[in-house]
Amino acid sequence: MKKAVVLLSGGLDSTTCMAIAKHEGYEIYPISFDYGQRHNRELECAIAVAKYFDVENHKIIRMDNVGGSALTDENIDVPKYKGDGEIPVTYVPARNILFLSYALGYAEVIGAQAIFIGVSAVDYSGYPDCRPEFIKAFQNVVNEGTGAGVRGASIEIKAPLIYLTKADTIKLGLELDVPYQLTSSCYNGGAEACGQCDSCVLRLKGFEEAGSKDKIKYKKGIQMCD
Ligand code: ZN
């Protein structure tokens, strides 16, 4: 059976990628990161999602935190959604480069053919490491810098959501029975999502446009569609 490493944050996009990889016939090997996030909610969700998909092995990598982001430094506040095209302080420096590098090493060891990453360049926060240019550049790194690549059996970096809106991702996910109730997107963490950060706003907008209801809990006063 072909194998895929899936970057699993416990959020909506990466959980959709789990379902896509499974649907495409891959045996899935999720990998998650404890990188000094300001809350543990993400990792708890990642563990719950991995359990739901009944995977053999869920790898959790612990990394030192280099700071410099509202997601890793408690002294930097998580801003409310602006959508002004600027890179927000929730950007974690080089995060996807680091994550993909670990995933790549793991993929080589287990003989995986693909790595799935749930980035999107449509409804996103403007992070440079979520763009098609980055994925293409990293694919070159894989081809030129790994044993698998040099042997001509390179590992494919798959970003199936990259051109999808959040609503399209959710519609696709609902068709694949993605357990969105187990996921978490809020940058502030906690059992109830804030509904005001970039990630919450994009998620809520996505469910609304997909004509569906988000089943996770939000703080009181947050508008939900039915
Ligand atoms: Zn939030």
Side-chain angles (χ1 to χ4, degrees):
M1 198 176 185
K2 54 185 184 173
K3 297 174 181 173
V5 174
V6 181
L7 292 177
L8 177 64
S9 70
L12 184 152
D13 297 323
S14 65
T15 303
T16 306
C17 276
M18 289 278 282
I20 294 171
K22 195 178 170 192
H23 184 72
E24 289 186 5
Y26 288 95
E27 187 179 353
I28 42 183
Y29 290 80
I31 185 169
S32 303
F33 297 86
D34 180 350
Y35 61 98
Q37 297 96 317
R38 59 193 287 154
H39 56 78
N40 286 328
R41 180 86 186 143
E42 265 189 2
L43 268 180
E44 288 166 11
C45 289
I47 290 165
V49 168
K51 206 170 162 194
Y52 176 91
F53 280 90
D54 199 20
V55 298
E56 194 93 335
N57 186 12
H58 178 202
K59 201 168 216 24
I60 298 177
I61 305 280
R62 298 189 202 283
M63 283 163 47
D64 267 346
N65 173 11
V66 294
S69 165
L71 299 193
T72 54
D73 184 342
E74 286 187 353
N75 297 316
I76 306 174
D77 288 334
V78 172
K80 287 185 184 172
Y81 177 74
K82 282 199 205 114
D84 58 5
E86 295 290 316
I87 298 173
V89 290
T90 48
Y91 167 64
V92 179
R95 180 169 59 179
N96 286 343
I97 297 173
L98 295 166
F99 287 2
L100 278 173
S101 299
Y102 274 97
L104 183 54
Y106 186 38
E108 276 214 279
V109 170
I110 62 170
Q113 288 76 28
I115 296 170
F116 281 74
I117 178 167
V119 291
S120 169
V122 185
D123 282 330
Y124 81 132
S125 297
Y127 302 143
D129 53 358
C130 290
R131 300 173 306 141
E133 294 88 336
F134 165 66
I135 297 299
K136 204 174 150 204
F138 199 86
Q139 183 68 63
N140 279 336
V141 169
V142 178
N143 298 347
E144 299 299 333
T146 63
V150 170
R151 283 194 298 271
S154 198
I155 296 156
E156 189 183 356
I157 307 294
K158 295 183 73 128
L161 314 178
I162 201 147
Y163 296 115
L164 299 189
T165 63
K166 197 63 92 186
D168 287 338
T169 294
I170 292 166
K171 280 187 207 161
L172 174 62
L174 291 172
E175 275 173 29
L176 297 173
D177 289 326
V178 171
Y180 287 128
Q181 72 281 4
L182 300 178
T183 66
S184 159
S185 300
C186 183
Y187 287 153
N188 286 298
E192 294 178 334
C194 79
Q196 294 188 311
C197 68
D198 268 33
S199 191
C200 278
V201 168
L202 291 173
R203 179 176 174 128
L204 282 165
K205 181 172 155 274
F207 270 96
E208 195 180 333
E209 286 172 8
S212 183
K213 188 173 164 32
D214 192 0
K215 290 182 188 143
I216 64 163
K217 285 200 177 100
Y218 284 88
K219 288 199 167 128
K220 277 195 184 121
I222 301 303
Q223 289 293 316
M224 299 280 300
C225 73
D226 279 308

